[in-house]
Each structure stands twice: as structure tokens, then as C-alpha cells.
Amino acid sequence: VLIVFETASHNGSVAPAKRAHPAPAADLTSAPPVSSEPEKAATAKRRVLAAPAVRKLAFELGVDLEQVQPSNANGRVSIEDVRAYAEEARDTSPAPSSTAASEQQPAAISQPQQRSVLPAPGSEDKREPLTGLRKRIAEHMEYAWRTIPHATAFDEVDGSGLVALRRALLPVAEKRGVRLTYMPLLLKLLLPVLKEFPIFNASLDEERREIVYKQAYHIGVATAAPEGLLVPVLRDADRLTLLGIASELERLVDGARKRSLTRSELTGSTFTLNNVGSFGGASGTPIINHPEVAILAVGKLQEKAVVHEGQLVARPMMPLALSFDHRLIDGARAGAFLARFKELVENPQQLLLDML
């Protein structure tokens, strides 16, 4: 922009102002050229081989699959690889420095001093770390609930026939030194139902997306221990007699409470039976013991008023709750499973047909 100043000369005329010359333009040719394309990565990202279930778990744990080294020879990342990487990252992550944190905090604004209110003696919250068995139980329950789409079917069974059968067999069991509870009877009645509905004795291979039908019948029995709930496993239950089941169950339950069982006695179950009544509960909604696909909870036997053959009578009733994996089992099949189990419990003499 040119600015002209006019000043009066001695003779009163206006003298033309000197014209300002613009500053020379900056030399733009010396600036380095700007690249029009972004720089390419130094190394190309490798293609990660992983099943959808593995990718889902990695996303929930915040794990970058490209950083996980596969343990399989085929290069596929497994669920165990993701968990191991997440556990290692959690153990090796450095704790934040208190000095660095204090340096990053802005200076506090001066405020009028307030009187601090001290908590009443004994009212402070108590904290304790989640460790040991309780931590493993929590992680297992959390993974099962997050991974399996649970659904639960409920029913109620008349336990009159079961009570009569135990009363008749109790003297024989006592002579042989065996403690006969309702649990061995229920387990023995459960086995033919599992064979009739094999999907309930199966598991889902989440990486290969295949249903695995188990040929063995290893029944887990939920047991209350001082540090939490344990599930000892009754292996090859279908090959044992009723008194054999009762004797082995007593040994496993006692070992679970004393924490004397081995790892092989606490893993590998194909189906779990949970006697909520033994904990003093009337009923409950069980969580599936992953990688199983179903769990049956039986409640406490209690006398209730029911209508039987047109008459209001008192009967020992027992609630049932069957939780199942809705990816493999639908409601109709769960209902049929409960109906068959209910039929055997109410008429346990039907087991004799398999022995004749």
C-alpha cells in the first residue's frame, strides 16, 4: 500500500510527497518442498490370525493382537496367549511416580482453611486385596458370565418318591459304612437324562466354532469351602454304583473343605450339579462352570401345600433351576431336559428298568 503525504512549501504550494517503495518480497524458492504424501511405515504390519472370540477378549482386555506372540505352530493367536500377554503386561507395568505426579499438578489456589471432620472411631472402611482362591474364583466367574449368554429355566418337583427311596436304602448304606444323602440319588437320576440329551454334556470350542460332545460323564459338585466355592469332580460317574457315588462324593467334599484335593480332582468336569439346599438356600440362579454349557441347581426340600388328585395336600417340594448356554441350547430343549429329570425324581423306580 502506498501512502502519500502532502506538505505545504514556502510559497504555499503543495509539494508532492516521495513515493514509498514496497519491500522486496521474501525469497520463497529457498524453502524446502513439502511432501504431498505421508511417509510410509518402516515395516508392514503382520496379519494376525485369531478367532472372533480371541479378538473379542483382546478388545475387552485392551490388548493389541499384533504384539501377542502366538504359541500355536500354525501362527494363530489363542485365548490363552491373550490372557498370558495381559497378565504379563499388568505385572510389568511400572507404578506411577508420586514425585512426578506432584510436579505435574498445578499450584493449588489458596482457599480459606476448613475444619477437617474426623471419622468416628471404628467407622473407617476396611479394605483387603483380592488374592488366592477368592481371586481365581472371581476371575473364572467373571469370564464365564461375560463369555456365555446365560438363560435359566425353572421348575419344581415333588420329592415324595425321593424321600421314600432314601428312607428305604438308608439302613443298607449305614451297614456298609456309607453316608447316603440326597445328592448321590439326584446324581444317579441325572446321568440317564444327560445321556438322553447329549448337548448338555458338551462344550463349545470357541476358536474352531465346533460343538464337542463329551463321551465321559465327569460331574462337578459345587462345594462350599472356607475361602469360597469349589467344584470337585466325580469322574466317570456313570460307571459307579449308587453307594460308590456316595462314598466318592463324601471323600471329595471332605477334601474340598480341607483344601487337600489335587488339581486333577478340581478340573475337567463336563456338567455341574449344585445343591443349593445344602447351603441353606431355598433356590438360586447358578452361573455356568465354563467351559461347560449347563448347570443344574436343586433347592431345599420343603413341605408345601399342593393340589394332588383334586385334594390339597402337603408334599415335600424341591425347586430346580437349569442355567444353559443359549448359543447351543434353546428354551424348548431345556424344558424337555427338566421335564425328564423331574419324571425320574418323582418316579425313581424307573431306574430299575435299566438294570433288568
Side-chain angles (χ1 to χ4, degrees), residues 127-139 142:
R127 291 174 176 266
E128 63 179 21
L130 189 63
T131 59
L133 176 62
R134 187 72 260 175
K135 179 182 178 182
R136 294 195 296 273
I137 293 174
E139 291 174 347
E142 180 184 3

Side-chain angles (χ1 to χ4, degrees), residues 56-139:
K56 178 176 180 289
L57 178 62
F59 174 78
E60 293 173 348
L61 297 179
V63 173
D64 183 3
L65 284 177
E66 296 178 0
Q67 306 299 325
V68 180
Q69 293 296 327
S71 59
N72 296 328
N74 58 7
R76 294 181 68 87
V77 178
S78 65
I79 289 178
E80 288 73 18
D81 295 336
V82 174
R83 287 182 183 166
Y85 182 88
E87 192 73 24
E88 182 180 355
R90 183 166 59 248
D91 294 341
T92 58
S93 59
S97 173
S98 58
T99 304
S102 61
E103 291 177 354
Q104 295 176 1
Q105 293 293 334
I109 301 175
S110 177
Q111 294 182 353
Q113 192 173 13
Q114 296 180 356
R115 172 186 280 182
S116 59
V117 180
L118 297 178
S123 64
E124 298 88 349
D125 294 336
K126 180 183 177 182
R127 291 174 176 266
E128 63 179 21
L130 189 63
T131 59
L133 176 62
R134 187 72 260 175
K135 179 182 178 182
R136 294 195 296 273
I137 293 174
E139 291 174 347

Side-chain angles (χ1 to χ4, degrees), residues 21-45:
H21 296 283
D27 186 7
L28 301 178
T29 59
S30 61
V34 180
S35 175
S36 59
E37 297 182 358
E39 294 184 358
K40 296 183 178 179
T43 56
K45 294 182 178 180

Side-chain angles (χ1 to χ4, degrees), residues 152-159 162 186 273-278 280-286 295-304 315-322 338 341-342 345-346:
T152 306
F154 299 92
D155 208 333
E156 197 172 34
V157 59
D158 186 344
L162 189 68
L186 291 171
L273 181 61
N274 185 1
N275 185 5
V276 182
S278 65
S283 184
T285 303
I295 178 174
L296 177 63
V298 295
K300 186 178 180 180
L301 270 170
Q302 298 183 92
E303 280 201 345
K304 290 185 177 181
R315 293 278 185 171
M317 304 300 294
M318 183 172 63
L320 306 174
L322 176 68
L338 276 182
F341 180 69
K342 178 178 177 179
V345 172
E346 293 181 346

Side-chain angles (χ1 to χ4, degrees), residues 166-240:
R166 178 176 178 268
R167 187 183 299 119
L169 296 176
L170 202 55
V172 180
E174 290 177 350
K175 287 181 180 180
R176 300 188 185 184
V178 179
R179 180 171 174 264
L180 183 63
T181 63
Y182 288 110
M183 199 64 173
L185 294 171
L186 291 171
L187 203 151
K188 194 67 175 177
L189 294 168
L190 173 67
L191 289 168
V193 186
L194 288 174
K195 292 183 177 181
E196 188 174 339
F197 298 87
I199 188 63
F200 289 86
N201 197 59
S203 65
L204 175 63
D205 187 333
E206 298 180 5
E207 292 190 29
R208 302 179 64 176
R209 311 305 290 177
E210 294 176 348
I211 302 174
V212 182
Y213 291 92
K214 304 298 179 65
Q215 301 305 306
Y217 294 87
H218 304 323
I219 308 302
V221 180
T223 304
E227 294 182 339
L229 195 67
L230 293 177
V231 185
V233 181
L234 183 68
R235 298 192 174 276
D236 299 314
D238 59 323
R239 300 180 183 179
L240 299 176

